[in-house]
Amino acid sequence: MAFFVVFQTPFLLALLSWRTCQSEVLAEPVPLTPESLNVSINSTLQHLHLQWTVHKLPYQELQMVFPIEISRIETSKVIWMGNYSTTVKRNQVLHWSWESELPLECATHFVRIKSIVNDARFPELSFVSNWSSWEEVHAHIPEQNHWLIFPRNKLVEEGSNVTFCYNSGRNPGISCYLGNELIHGEQLDSNLFTFKLTNVPFISTVGTNIYCGVNYTLEDGAVLFVSKVLEEPKNFSCETQDFKTLSCTWDPGVETGLGYNRQPRQHYTLFESFSGEKKFCGHNNWCNWEISQDLQETYNFTLTAENYLRKRNVSSVFKLTDRVHLKAPESVHFTNVGATNATVTWKMPILGNCCTLLCQIELQDKENVRQEHNVSIRVNGEFHFSELKPDTEYVVRIRCANAEHLWKWSEWATRTLVTAEAAPSKALDVWRTVKSDKGLHNVTLFWKPLSKFHANGKILFYNIVAKNLDKKSELKLLCIPALANGTELTLDPGSYQIQVTANNNVGTSPASEIVISENSGNEEVEEEIINGTKDGFLISWKLRSGDMTRYVVDWCEHPQSLHCDLQWKNLGPNTTSTVIASDAFRPGIRYNFRIYELSTEKIAYLVEKKTGYTQELAPLDSPQVAVTDLTSHSFTLSWKGYDTETQRGFIRGYYVCLKSNATQCHPDSVKESLPDKSTCCKHDISNPKQKTFLVKNLQPESFYEFSVSSYTSAGEGPNGTFTKVTTPDGRSHMLMRIILPMTLCVLFIVVMCYWKSQWVKKCYPDIPDPYKSSILSLIKSKENPHLTIMNVKDCIPDAIEVINKSEGTKAQFTGTGKPLTESESPKRANIYLPPAQDFSGPAPCISFENFTYNESACDSGSCAHIPVPTTALPCQLGLLASPDNLLKTLENTHTNSQGEIPAGEMSLNYVSQLASPMSGDKDSLLINPPVPVLCSEYKMQMSAPSHLASPVLSEMAASPEPF
């Protein structure tokens, strides 16, 4: 107690003094202004790094807020204001960084800071300190580099925003480009330009050039590197196949590496949290992890992807036994392989006896028909296949997995299985075409090869048996190689049963049977036109009554080729329509379809025919036109039709286009403009069977041009070349109608006249020219070479032959009156009539050598005369008008004067002397008279005295006519 009393007073005084001091401290603000402010620049990251301290903290730690201001170029140009909140400990050095959008090398920056105590535990300490002084900071630029563009070699991610600056140094007209694209900037002061790029794209792994210049002069440039955004790894998983190694895989996503080592490809790190182990992965999509000997049951992996700009990670937690991925089965074999069954065996890699395995077996053929079976095994597996197809190649696949926890199936183990052959199981689909020629059947057989499903093996050959139904013993056997799908047969008249079979190594297919009747190939059916589409033809027909088994429709897929590729389609007996479609159908090609019905006797009867186009096209060419019956007012055009197989559509009609100088067209035609800007009158011939056209109402001597084109439902064919025609003159045509008949009449008259003249010359020979007489030429040569006129004395008189018919003898009388006996002249006698010796006065001269000479010629005594009594002169009696009368007179006179001639029936024969003998001996001439020369121009003439001439003679003298 004494001790307490002694020390009580000093203790109270000390406590009072402490409390007084504490009151003073709380009454005055504690100076907590940030001190030792240091500002530095990180040019790579474009960061301003601030470092400062707060001295004289009243407590060990306080919650404080630091307002910060950053200015650029000048302290008054504040570009950023913000607060930094943190817990400040006594004597702690504080750090804070700020990222600048504008490169720090472009301008001077100023930074200042102050503090605010914001601690709820000490509300009385809430106050704001003063601002620190401005700290000025400059980016360091090497003096040897005269760089004007910043930042240099900037690295950003795709889609980022980036700002460049250019220090122009008071150079006007500055222009900057990103690649080849002009970019627009902003001038901060007289020397500084900034260019802001937003959402920059990835262009190249080697970066993109940015350059600036003045008046097309390059001043400086930099490179902008844009990286793909680093993606988070996908499908990250780990598994084991042997409980020794965990294999982890993932999908890395896009590659972020850039060229020039600006940024290497992203790298991956695998971290297991339970063991604390970490492994750097050398590959970008997989990494192996060794399993520890103690067989850790659970694993927690974190996969981290990282590059210069960011990090991404993903985690996976699993039990080891749940991540078992078995290896593929081994030693797969087939046993007991038959045509329809087989057995497969396999083994699994050794895993110990850890678990039961589930195996999946898949059987697949080339037609994608699959069978799937599941079996459970421990190590070895076996399965028996049944109901397989003969001679079929199968693919057998087997895979297995942990049956207790199915994580993943193993890889497939694949093997090929080929079953054994069997006899073909289906009859061939057989068809035929028949052509009858001279009583024979030319049969072409076609068949479709059996599918592999029905062939049951490789087809080696086909057997064909043709049996004559009229002659049961007559057979025709053929063996056709396997590559053929048809053959030709020539059969004699009659009905035949044809059977076709396919053969392989094992056996023969069921027989396909078809019957050729005696009338096959002679069917006549009217063809019907149908309209096709791009999808094919709709074929329909009338349902027939009677016993039948099916319908068959056949057609050629390539009708314009040598081998038309005959196709056929079998249809049921109650079917009346079908759609024929084929990839071989082409527009503008005509297709013909024939519909047959097949009777119960296997005989095919043609019932209908169809023809059409999938799409009609316009004709390719124009008809060849001929011009006939050309007149002054019309002409006729004629042409031939097209070949049916070459038509690109059904010809619906023809257009006749006529060009002329006329401005108006005929009422039945229309005016149409042509490509050459001319016009023509077009006539429409809507009847395709009409192949002629009469162009009428034309003008004579006019020029016309025409062309003929055909058209189908698809349009008109080419007009072709216009043919020129000029009509003739109408008057010349009329003149021809007049002149031609006249000309024919004149020709007829001339011909008649000529014929008459020839007839007259033949009946009445011409008077010979004495100067051209052959007799005269003979006289000239013998007696007087200078003789030009023939005298009467020089002529040889004619003779009269007397024939006694009763006795068969002939006598010749000469001028002496002495008869010649038969012995002297056995065959004929010539009578020469000389003038009478006692006749002195004028008397008529009767001479046979020349009937027109005057009487002076007769007086000379050179000419032969017949004595005629004066009472009966022949000249006065007009006897000279007819030589026959003259002969009769002479005959009577001579008979009366010559009584020596025996009585009997006699006749006179007048003989004309047309040629003279070579000698002048008259006796010889009379006895052997010359044979008349037919070509002699000399003709006998006669003349009578003028005072005795009868009117007949006078008329004859006035108008002499041939004798």
Side-chain angles (χ1 to χ4, degrees), residues 575-589:
T575 306
T576 58
S577 65
T578 186
V579 175
I580 304 297
S582 173
D583 294 335
F585 288 160
R586 295 290 181 268
I589 303 297

Side-chain angles (χ1 to χ4, degrees), residues 25 72 334 397 436 580 585 718 764 767 795 891:
V25 170
R72 183 179 291 149
F334 297 102
R397 304 197 303 172
S436 296
I580 304 297
F585 288 160
Y764 305 98
I767 298 174
C795 67
E891 184 179 359

Side-chain angles (χ1 to χ4, degrees), residues 750-881:
V750 170
V751 170
M752 292 301 295
C753 291
Y754 176 77
W755 178 80
K756 185 176 181 181
S757 64
Q758 294 296 320
W759 178 80
V760 169
K761 286 182 179 181
K762 184 176 181 182
C763 296
Y764 305 98
D766 294 337
I767 298 174
D769 186 359
Y771 293 95
K772 299 180 179 179
S773 174
S774 59
I775 302 299
L776 181 62
S777 64
L778 293 174
I779 297 174
K780 284 181 181 182
S781 62
K782 291 181 178 181
E783 298 177 1
N784 186 3
H786 303 286
L787 181 63
T788 59
I789 298 177
M790 183 178 64
N791 296 321
V792 176
K793 63 181 181 179
D794 297 324
C795 67
I796 300 172
D798 292 343
I800 295 178
E801 187 177 51
V802 180
I803 301 173
N804 191 342
K805 298 182 179 180
S806 63
E807 297 178 1
T809 60
K810 299 179 183 179
Q812 179 175 320
F813 298 90
T814 61
T816 61
K818 182 180 180 180
L820 298 176
T821 64
E822 187 176 357
S823 60
E824 293 175 348
S825 179
K827 292 186 180 181
R828 69 172 62 191
N830 294 330
I831 298 175
Y832 175 65
L833 301 179
Q837 295 180 1
D838 57 349
F839 186 78
S840 60
C845 179
I846 301 173
S847 176
F848 294 98
E849 66 273 10
N850 197 332
F851 290 95
T852 58
Y853 285 156
N854 56 26
E855 58 184 354
S856 59
C858 296
D859 294 338
S860 62
S862 302
C863 146
H865 289 85
I866 299 174
V868 180
T870 57
T871 60
L873 292 174
C875 294
Q876 293 175 342
L877 297 175
L879 297 175
L880 295 179

Side-chain angles (χ1 to χ4, degrees), residues 252-325:
V254 298
E255 179 66 50
T256 63
L258 297 176
Y260 304 115
N261 294 324
R262 187 63 185 88
Q263 176 177 266
R265 60 192 298 181
Q266 65 266 32
H267 60 272
Y268 295 88
T269 302
L270 195 61
F271 174 73
E272 205 285 306
S273 60
F274 293 137
S275 62
E277 296 182 5
K278 185 176 182 180
K279 182 178 181 181
F280 176 79
C281 299
H283 303 276
N284 68 338
N285 61 346
W286 64 274
C287 191
N288 288 335
W289 186 276
E290 297 296 329
I291 297 176
S292 60
Q293 296 295 329
D294 56 359
L295 292 178
Q296 179 181 338
E297 292 186 0
T298 306
Y299 289 84
N300 183 6
F301 284 106
T302 299
L303 178 66
T304 301
E306 183 178 1
N307 64 7
Y308 283 172
L309 299 176
R310 70 172 66 223
K311 290 182 179 181
R312 294 290 180 91
N313 55 67
V314 63
S315 299
S316 177
V317 180
F318 57 88
K319 290 180 65 175
L320 181 62
T321 55
D322 295 342
R323 296 297 180 91
V324 178
H325 185 194

Side-chain angles (χ1 to χ4, degrees), residues 87-88 110 119 203 207 286 341 533 723 743 774-775 781 848 857 917 923:
T87 300
V88 181
F110 301 91
D119 198 329
I203 299 177
W286 64 274
N341 52 69
T533 65
T723 303
T743 304
S774 59
I775 302 299
S781 62
F848 294 98
D923 294 336

Side-chain angles (χ1 to χ4, degrees), residues 30-32 35 54-59 62 90-91:
V30 178
L32 298 179
E35 299 177 357
V54 177
H55 298 291
K56 300 178 181 180
L57 284 179
Y59 301 105
L62 287 175
R90 186 174 295 174
N91 299 323

Side-chain angles (χ1 to χ4, degrees), residues 127 133 163 170 182 269 373 393 427 436 458 599 604 614 711 728 763:
F127 62 90
S133 59
T163 302
R170 299 184 182 276
L182 177 67
T269 302
H373 306 277
E393 181 178 301
S436 296
K458 183 180 179 180
S599 67
T614 57
Y711 62 89
C763 296

Side-chain angles (χ1 to χ4, degrees), residues 96 111 124 135 264 353 393 420 626 637-638 776:
W96 179 79
V111 181
E124 68 278 5
E135 287 292 327
N353 200 12
E393 181 178 301
L637 303 178
S638 60
L776 181 62

